[in-house]
Amino acid sequence: MSRTLVDSRRWIQQGTKLLADTLAGLDEASFSAPSALPGWGRKHLVAHLAANGEAIGNLVHWAATGERTPMYASPEQRDADIEAGSLLSGPQLAEWFKRSAMRLDSAMAALTERQWAAEVVTTQGRTVPASETPWMRAREVMVHSADLATGIGFRDLPADFLPALCDDITAKRSGAASGPALIVQATDTRHRWDVAGTGDPVLVTAPLAAITAYLAGREPHGVSAPDARDVPALPAWL
Ligand code: ZN
């Protein structure tokens, strides 16, 4: 995996701008439309993104001070905050998203090299150095830009972000080995990933953006499995 802290912080900025610009163009009716995520409207998704900025901010605070501040108080509290947030107006949500993103950016900008190396625990229970948190945030703002279902697709995300995301997802999928074995080959770049799993590996091909969407568990538009009848369905990744 070749991504750096500088890459991840740039991707946060790019994804945050993409989202903020998109939200600025939505009227109340568009805010109230469904997202691409099952059961979530766009408002749920924006509330989740704003709350996630604060949650990642808690990890940055932990790294800066040594005070143990987890991302969320509990899974129930996380869900309740998303539900409550989904009742806000579009402009209120856009403002909350922007405010939490700006606070997170200043908190990250203030971390010293030593603080970046401090260990924190994610909501999934993984112990990671704080330097992993910009990647966690970049992933959220980028992938959920597409989940907003306003016309942004994985093809609109930065070209160097896509292989970094595929590296991450294929490593996680191979580690879990709970899905089908795959050989994933991009048709428009030279990227290729092997995913460990059950059965003989199925070759899956598509342009890189479609491959990334597929690996992330999104609609596999334009993805084909030349030697198999169907593109294998994948279990959840996060
Ligand atoms: Zn998310």
Side-chain angles (χ1 to χ4, degrees):
M1 226 174 287
S2 54
R3 67 180 148 81
T4 65
L5 186 58
V6 172
D7 292 329
S8 294
R9 293 200 58 206
R10 172 172 50 83
W11 290 326
I12 295 179
Q13 278 161 11
Q14 290 172 324
T16 300
K17 183 173 183 332
L18 189 60
L19 280 164
D21 290 350
T22 306
L23 298 181
L26 298 184
D27 59 17
E28 196 60 29
S30 311
F31 254 109
S32 301
S35 78
L37 295 179
W40 269 12
R42 285 178 180 154
K43 286 190 171 183
H44 290 93
L45 188 52
V46 180
H48 163 56
L49 280 161
N52 172 266
E54 295 172 353
I56 302 268
N58 287 342
L59 297 185
V60 173
H61 176 82
W62 181 343
T65 63
E67 181 197 354
R68 192 182 172 91
T69 44
M71 292 178 70
Y72 300 100
S74 67
E76 295 74 23
Q77 189 62 50
R78 170 189 179 273
D79 294 348
D81 288 346
I82 292 170
E83 274 309 319
S86 73
L87 303 175
L88 296 173
S89 72
Q92 283 174 320
L93 279 164
E95 183 54 38
W96 181 20
F97 170 71
K98 226 189 266 183
R99 197 172 57 236
S100 101
M102 276 169 55
R103 281 213 190 115
L104 180 61
D105 184 58
S106 344
M108 283 183 172
L111 284 191
T112 64
E113 204 170 317
R114 220 182 128 123
Q115 290 166 334
W116 278 120
E119 287 192 333
V120 295
V121 182
T122 71
T123 195
Q124 282 113 9
R126 281 194 313 138
T127 299
V128 296
S131 56
E132 187 68 6
T133 60
W135 169 248
M136 291 163 56
R137 178 63 177 171
R139 214 166 52 187
E140 288 292 307
V141 291
M142 289 292 184
V143 173
H144 289 323
S145 294
D147 292 331
L148 264 185
T150 54
I152 298 169
F154 279 72
R155 68 193 168 279
D156 301 307
L157 304 182
D160 61 344
F161 170 78
L162 298 178
L165 183 60
C166 289
D167 283 345
D168 187 22
I169 298 175
T170 53
K172 283 206 175 61
R173 289 195 176 286
S174 289
S178 57
L182 303 171
I183 299 164
V184 182
Q185 176 80 58
T187 50
D188 55 345
T189 66
R190 301 169 78 87
H191 293 100
R192 174 201 150 119
W193 291 271
D194 294 295
V195 180
T198 50
D200 289 336
V202 177
L203 175 66
V204 174
T205 66
L208 179 61
I211 285 280
T212 313
Y214 167 66
L215 285 172
R218 270 61 183 178
E219 279 297 305
H221 292 303
V223 179
S224 57
D227 304 321
R229 262 190 307 242
D230 295 310
V231 176
L234 301 182
W237 138 65
L238 273 182

